[in-house]
Amino acid sequence: MKKNIIFLLIFATALCSCRLFEEDKRQISPNDLHKYAVMKMGDCFCNSASKISTCLLVDEYIKATPEQKKNDGRFSVLRSKIHNLDDNSYHIDGWMEDIFTNGKSFLEDGDPWKIGLTKTAENVWVNEDCKFIVKEISESNDIVITVQCDKKIEDTEASSPGRSLSSLTSLKNGSVDITNPGYTVVFYDVMTVNFRSGMTLANTIYGTIQVDIMCEGKTIDWVTMSGDGNTVEYKTSR
């Protein structure tokens, strides 16, 4: 959330005629809007889908025999990265949060691992905004998750007296398919208003998201991000 606030403060600087640094006269480019759409895709959809994907694999790993853990190809990406903290807790290298199983299977009803997603039916999890449906798991453990969200997700990030900046993120047709969900976080350099590292979605998407950037209730910029499984195309207001 802190990174979101920094980035949207940058948008407020360029788009609302209020600069954080007087010497900075950089304009927001189409590429900046592309990256912003990727960030919102990650924040709103991919992070939760990635949690489900990872927890499903960890659940299988916990249930596996020592021989399966050692030899089953499904666990190759996990085997060297997962560490027991205690009988019911696990740390995964590169993952933001430790997993606390509470001695239960991830597939039990409700939210047994307390990750903020509730299991409401077989292969279906929900949060306050969206429904996540595990559509397919291949023999090689490739996973496809369908995200359904019929509303616009509003995120008000920055405000000051008489001025506020927000974004509205939505799925154009109410759903998007994400293959092998994952999300690579970017770091921002506020002083130069630059991206210090690239940001990509570590997955393939099928569908379109729309992001509207608003100032004082009016849309000042927008970007759509559409994927067909092979390429991602962007359309922007700039």
Side-chain angles (χ1 to χ4, degrees):
M1 182 58 69
K2 183 177 180 181
K3 293 189 286 293
N4 286 9
I5 292 173
I6 292 172
F7 190 81
L8 283 164
L9 281 170
I10 293 167
F11 266 87
T13 296
L15 302 177
C16 299
S17 300
C18 51
R19 288 191 291 272
L20 289 174
F21 306 100
E22 279 298 319
E23 67 273 15
D24 175 46
K25 301 188 184 301
R26 178 177 179 267
Q27 293 295 310
I28 299 300
S29 69
N31 190 52
D32 292 326
L33 290 171
H34 296 179
K35 291 178 179 179
Y36 187 66
V38 171
M39 184 180 75
K40 299 311 293 184
M41 178 76 182
D43 288 348
C44 295
F45 311 118
C46 291
N47 283 345
S48 291
S50 180
K51 281 186 179 181
I52 293 170
S53 177
T54 300
C55 288
L56 286 171
L57 184 62
V58 171
D59 196 50
E60 287 295 314
Y61 183 84
I62 293 170
K63 296 173 183 176
T65 65
E67 184 178 356
Q68 289 171 327
K69 291 177 180 178
K70 181 179 179 180
N71 299 316
D72 194 322
R74 293 177 301 165
F75 305 132
S76 59
V77 298
L78 186 65
R79 193 177 295 123
S80 64
K81 297 181 179 181
I82 189 167
H83 311 281
N84 285 76
L85 301 177
D86 57 42
D87 289 343
N88 297 316
S89 305
Y90 299 85
H91 173 78
I92 303 174
D93 296 341
W95 219 50
M96 293 183 294
E97 303 171 7
D98 292 333
I99 289 178
F100 302 96
T101 68
N102 299 301
K104 300 178 181 179
S105 168
F106 178 66
L107 295 176
E108 292 185 27
D109 291 342
D111 186 13
W113 289 13
K114 307 303 179 188
I115 64 169
L117 291 153
T118 301
K119 187 173 183 287
T120 59
E122 185 177 4
N123 295 326
V124 178
W125 284 262
V126 300
N127 61 18
E128 61 182 6
D129 295 313
C130 303
K131 178 185 291 186
F132 299 84
I133 305 168
V134 178
K135 184 177 182 180
E136 177 185 349
I137 302 178
S138 71
E139 291 183 1
S140 59
N141 214 47
D142 289 329
I143 188 168
V144 179
I145 292 181
T146 298
V147 183
Q148 294 180 349
C149 186
D150 295 325
K151 67 177 183 178
K152 294 181 179 180
I153 301 175
E154 183 169 8
D155 202 358
T156 301
E157 298 287 357
S159 64
S160 59
R163 181 176 59 250
S164 64
L165 192 69
S166 62
S167 64
L168 291 173
T169 306
S170 60
L171 297 178
K172 186 175 181 181
N173 296 312
S175 69
V176 63
D177 281 358
I178 307 173
T179 302
N180 295 331
Y183 181 44
T184 302
V185 177
V186 72
F187 297 93
Y188 310 114
D189 187 337
V190 179
M191 294 301 295
T192 60
V193 200
N194 282 325
F195 292 86
R196 289 188 284 150
S197 63
M199 178 165 57
T200 60
L201 291 175
N203 48 52
T204 304
I205 67 168
Y206 300 78
T208 300
I209 74 161
Q210 171 81 29
V211 182
D212 293 299
I213 301 160
M214 309 179 73
C215 185
E216 298 178 353
K218 295 180 180 180
T219 298
I220 54 177
D221 263 315
W222 56 264
V223 55
T224 62
M225 175 183 173
S226 299
D228 63 4
N230 297 306
T231 59
V232 177
E233 294 184 353
Y234 300 86
K235 294 181 180 179
T236 72
S237 53
R238 295 175 179 241

